[in-house]
Amino acid sequence: MSHWHEWSPHEQKLAEAIYSALDGFTNLGAAQDPTQRRIDFTTLFRCVTHPEEPFPAALQKQLTQDPKLREDFHHLLKKCSSYHIPRAAAASSGDLTERTVDQFRIRLRPSRVESDQLYILIELPDETTDSPSTLFLYDTQGGCLKQALPAPQEREIQLLMNVDNPLVLGLKDHNTEIFLR
Amino acid sequence: MKIRVYIATTEGPVKIQRLAAEDPEVRSVICLNGTSEALPISPAYDAFVRKPTGIVERFVGHPVFRMDVSERITEGQSWQLGVLIAHLLKFEGKLAEKEEKPDQVIWLTGEVNQALEVKPVEHIDQKLLQSAKLFSACKQQNIPVMVVMAAANHSQLTQSGKNSFHLDQQIMGIDTVTQLTDAISLMHPTTGKTVTQVMATPSSKKGTSSTTTNPKFRKAIFATFILSVSILALSLIVTPNVSSILPHGETISTITPFKPNEVNVTNELMEVRLIELRSPAHSNCAAVRFGNVKPTLNELISGPDLFHSHEISTLCGIRLIVKQSKMPADINASVEVTHAGTNLRRTLQTSFIKKRRQGNELQWQINFDRTIRRSFTYSWNLETDSELTKDKLNRRILHSGY
Amino acid sequence: MEDNIYWLFEAQKSSEFTNLLQLVSETEIDGELKFTPSISRELGRLLVCRAYAPTLLELSHLVVMAQQCSPTQPDALERFFWDSGPARPNVFRAYIEKQLKLEALHSGGFSLSNDAVCIKHQDIDFCITYSRMPLLSALMEFLVTSLGYRILDDVLQLLSSQPLSKKLISDTANQLSRLLYDFLKSHLPTVQTQKNFNHLIGFLKSTYPRGFDQNSINDDLLLNFWKESSDQVSENNGDFKTFSSVYQRFVQLYRSLEHVGALRNLTFATSIGNDRDAGEIDPGDLLEHVEQIESSGDLLDTLQSPPAESIKFLNNREHSRLDRLIKSGHIASKLPLSLLRSEVFEPQRTRLTQALRDKVDKKRITMLIEEGPEEDYNSRFVLFEKDKSHIEQVRYASLYVLLQAEHHSAIELALALNPDLDLHHLNTDNNPAPDALLSSFFKMATKDSKVETDLSKLADTAYRAFKKIARKGFHDDEISQTDIIDGFAVGSDVLNNLKSQIDTFLQTASQKSLPNGDWTSQFSGDRQIFAKQFHKLYVEAERSQTSENSP
């Protein structure tokens, strides 16, 4: 049995390296404060790709706080979406009632029956094969809304909403981007 | 007469709370309790309403509606009969909506095809069982209930089954929608004629149609007989004299004035007015008909040059008002709409609102629920069994200078 | 004030790196852990040893495979790694087979075998085994978490370009390697760990001026170290605030000293490192050393990984109770008192720090300290005995399953349960064939065996044990499933090891010569020592912090 002081510097260095390596992951399994827990990418991906899953509140919160997460989420939305309507031109003023890009159009039509409700009409281009199932509204501050979509009828999807629904307000807002997946 | 419609489901009866014409740009929806929650059957409802697949538009002339219901309807097609009847009732102003107290309740279940045949559906017993509370509540409030289903379903209901549901009200099995509209004095969806006859077949009688024993219906039959003693007709004839399709241009009507020798009523006692109901800009007659927008009222002033009609396409109805200074004997009115001698009531999808009395003022109205695309002639006929009234009516018109 | 006292209960504040690794290991999918604990530890080893380069090359190949098997989907890569289910070999296999069927790609250069998927395309020709995919997936999870999705996706987009070549895959792997190196350079807690190591070595040097090795580490040393280090208000000593962290770090030090010492004794010293003079440690070598050391600590993880994860051998309470003891391996028996001190006093310390977080007044803190821990050493021994007895029952129950399945592991387990098992009845033939011997073994073990033997008695005990356990995996309708039988085969081996470790520990502890005489007196003495130290840490230190900050 040899003592520490008899070891070569390299052997001592190896002992230190082994100690450090063991130390690096020994604490795995120690419970973390769940409120401080970062959003994992599985949560991010499932939020974007599974229309039936609600938008996790923790993700909503962290998107507004974490620029890197925001960048990742935006990149993922862009990559996974079939349609994307960018922010409206700065020259536009007032609330928008229509958002268009190429042949893809979203219109807001007030209900004649209920003055505090309106219809969101999503017209899909003729060549659409796969119907989108989710609409995302994304603003520059990381605010994001997710809306599951019903099946289209003759390439048109209709939603009925209260006029003060955040989704409606977001669609009217120049600063939002729209993604359909 | 206001009728409340309930759609039978296995979870319980669903009340139709409201029916209103929507913007033709959107699609029909069924919403829950006036909220923005569109039920998943909305696309099927849209298909049921909108032409060419839909049935409702064919009869009411408008392609898009919003219907509010009290509970969720999740699947199946058995809502179709109830929805169609609700539309026809609404069309004739008979649908009890929101908090309106109904004079009658109709409970329906059945699938309806393009030929208006009523097809049987499943789970009738369960639907009836789930409606026991409704039936008993109606009984307590003395509101007659008519239970309507396909004849095939009706024939399968056992007597003990009926008893167990405490249905002392009418149960009706039908093969076609018209059997039902006949029974409840609705516009006939195939002929456009309003049938005022009330079936009086006893409930014990064999057959798929069974009885109404409602005493109010009997009174109506009696009234029909009394009023049928007509004596004199008064006609106002308005004939647009331009080409048959002029939906947006101004059309000057040719007026055939009343013949002076036919009228002899004093000014002090009677006053007759004719008012056009027109849809406002950016709206249509269906919206007017369903009360979503108020019509523009355009009074027709009598005289050879002034009795004119503007722009056929926006004409939604014509109202006749007779004001009496004293309350005379009853007056009955009818109207004929013709083109080249053919009755256009069905083609124009008209509905005739019967007399309303407000104090000493009597009103009748004819509605045109689809856009009119051809010239026509209409003629009002007023009838009374009172010699005195006849005389006064005639004199009033004479005094107006015709 | 709050910031100043925060270090008191943030003693084991994790580094960014540990947080990320933790995040990966806790990722759930469909309600279960995406990565088994074994995979998470393997990933941890790869990263801390910086031995990830070859694995990144494998991962780049897997990315190509993922993209190629769903060529029509722009998010094929994401679906493969993040929407295919828990990262298990059979799940990946099922996903790949489904995709290939959907995309009708059987002739597109893909070939599937029971163990692997292979692609042959232009100059690319590679196979990846399904069993390797969970680790590669965990590495991908770490990359996306550490580098960020946008950066990662930008790099991986290279692999979507055509024509695809070996060089392109290799370049992608190198680019990833550089990005990961840069990340770890600033995130691995190297400096802090170095300081800790030097602090520990320094303490050993001062305690044993004439020299020390791992055997110099004992219970007294640990207690003295904690008393000296924990109340030093210094950020550098943050890792030694709690006795359990001191215990854990001395166990690590013990292992590293023991390992290097053994290498020297085996005269393998010359093979340590690539460049002896420069003192550089080759990442691959380091990984190998760490894997050797860690192998004994993976027992509980094995029970939570396929195929054993389908069976509830231990519940959560049993698992957490045995965690420290089992992960300490044979060192638990070298430091039994320290292990008991950690087990018994750590929950009390947790309550104190929680009370501080809740801003409980000093009087209450003092009361909590005086109340002492909720259990003492003897009651802890009782619980360890209880766990041992449960493991014994589970071993018997496992024997029943393996006998029913006529699995060869049954023999090993039967002999482990009864080393004196008399098997002479099996020798009906002078020179029996192995198959015949096996067959005879299982026949004799069946309940309806007419001759009562040691084995039939053992089988009967096993049957009764099985019937008493109502946990997941221990039901008649489950034990005929192949994966369950495999789980019992793997699990029974782990259980043998667990039982042996607990036995050794309890035996050593019972023979341990204690400073205060017996375990009851020892607890009384320790309780005073810990109370005094807790008072210093959680009452006096706070007071001094408060007064320092007073105007």
Side-chain angles (χ1 to χ4, degrees), chain C residues 1-19:
Chain C
M1 185 204 72
E2 275 181 30
D3 288 346
N4 287 328
I5 64 156
Y6 211 68
W7 65 271
L8 288 169
F9 41 83
E10 288 286 289
Q12 281 184 293
K13 191 173 179 178
S14 306
S15 66
E16 170 75 354
F17 170 77
T18 315
N19 281 341

Side-chain angles (χ1 to χ4, degrees), chain C residues 391-406:
Chain C
I391 287 170
E392 192 70 352
Q393 284 301 304
V394 175
R395 291 168 78 213
Y396 276 106
S398 304
L399 177 64
Y400 170 73
V401 177
L402 296 171
L403 285 173
Q404 290 297 109
E406 300 196 351

Side-chain angles (χ1 to χ4, degrees), chain B residues 36 226 241 243:
Chain B
S36 58
I226 293 176
N241 65 347
S243 61

Side-chain angles (χ1 to χ4, degrees), chain C residues 362 452 530:
Chain C
K362 274 177 225 143
E452 191 180 75
F530 273 81

Side-chain angles (χ1 to χ4, degrees), chain B residues 66-96:
Chain B
R66 173 197 171 116
M67 179 181 279
D68 284 290
V69 294
S70 59
E71 304 291 338
R72 286 186 172 76
I73 304 169
T74 48
E75 55 187 345
Q77 310 280 316
S78 67
W79 48 267
Q80 290 179 337
L81 179 60
V83 164
L84 178 60
I85 293 302
H87 272 281
L88 296 174
L89 285 168
K90 175 73 185 182
F91 194 74
E92 298 220 349
K94 288 180 176 176
L95 181 68

Side-chain angles (χ1 to χ4, degrees), chain C residues 154-174:
Chain C
D154 284 350
V155 176
L156 295 178
Q157 282 303 314
L158 290 174
L159 296 175
S160 306
S161 53
Q162 295 294 335
L164 201 56
S165 64
K166 249 182 188 173
K167 187 176 178 303
L168 198 61
I169 298 174
S170 169
D171 288 350
T172 305
N174 287 339

Side-chain angles (χ1 to χ4, degrees), chain A residues 1 4 10-11 14 16 23 25-26 30 32 37-38 45-46 50 68 71-72 75 79 181, chain C residues 16 19 22-23 26 30 45 74-75 78 83 146 149-150 153 194 212-213 252 264 272 280:
Chain A
M1 192 71 67
W4 170 264
H10 184 82
E11 285 157 351
L14 178 62
E16 185 191 327
D23 198 53
F25 54 90
T26 303
Q32 281 191 328
R37 207 168 181 278
R38 283 172 57 166
F45 186 68
R46 288 177 79 103
H50 290 231
K68 190 177 163 198
E71 186 183 45
D72 284 355
H75 187 77
K79 183 170 177 184
R181 186 192 143 75
Chain C
E16 170 75 354
N19 281 341
Q22 183 83 23
L23 184 63
E26 287 178 356
D30 301 332
R45 283 198 289 265
D75 53 356
E78 290 81 0
D83 208 17
S146 56
Y149 171 65
R150 195 191 59 74
D153 191 49
Q194 253 174 3
F212 65 88
D213 60 16
Q252 285 163 204
R264 285 188 100 251
I272 301 176
E280 290 298 321

Side-chain angles (χ1 to χ4, degrees), chain C residues 300 316-326 336-348 373-389 502 505-506 509 519-520 523:
Chain C
L300 290 174
N316 290 344
R317 194 179 294 178
E318 291 152 354
H319 190 284
S320 66
R321 205 154 51 207
L322 292 172
D323 190 67
R324 200 186 317 260
L325 168 60
I326 300 302
L337 180 53
S338 299
L339 181 110
L340 262 293
R341 281 168 174 157
S342 295
E343 290 292 336
V344 170
F345 289 100
E346 179 63 12
Q348 189 192 7
E374 283 180 345
E375 58 175 347
D376 61 17
Y377 298 150
N378 284 324
S379 58
R380 191 63 176 184
F381 282 129
V382 170
L383 289 174
F384 281 143
E385 288 286 357
K386 192 180 155 199
D387 293 337
K388 187 180 110 178
S389 149
I502 299 171
F505 172 76
L506 291 175
W519 283 100
T520 309
F523 174 72

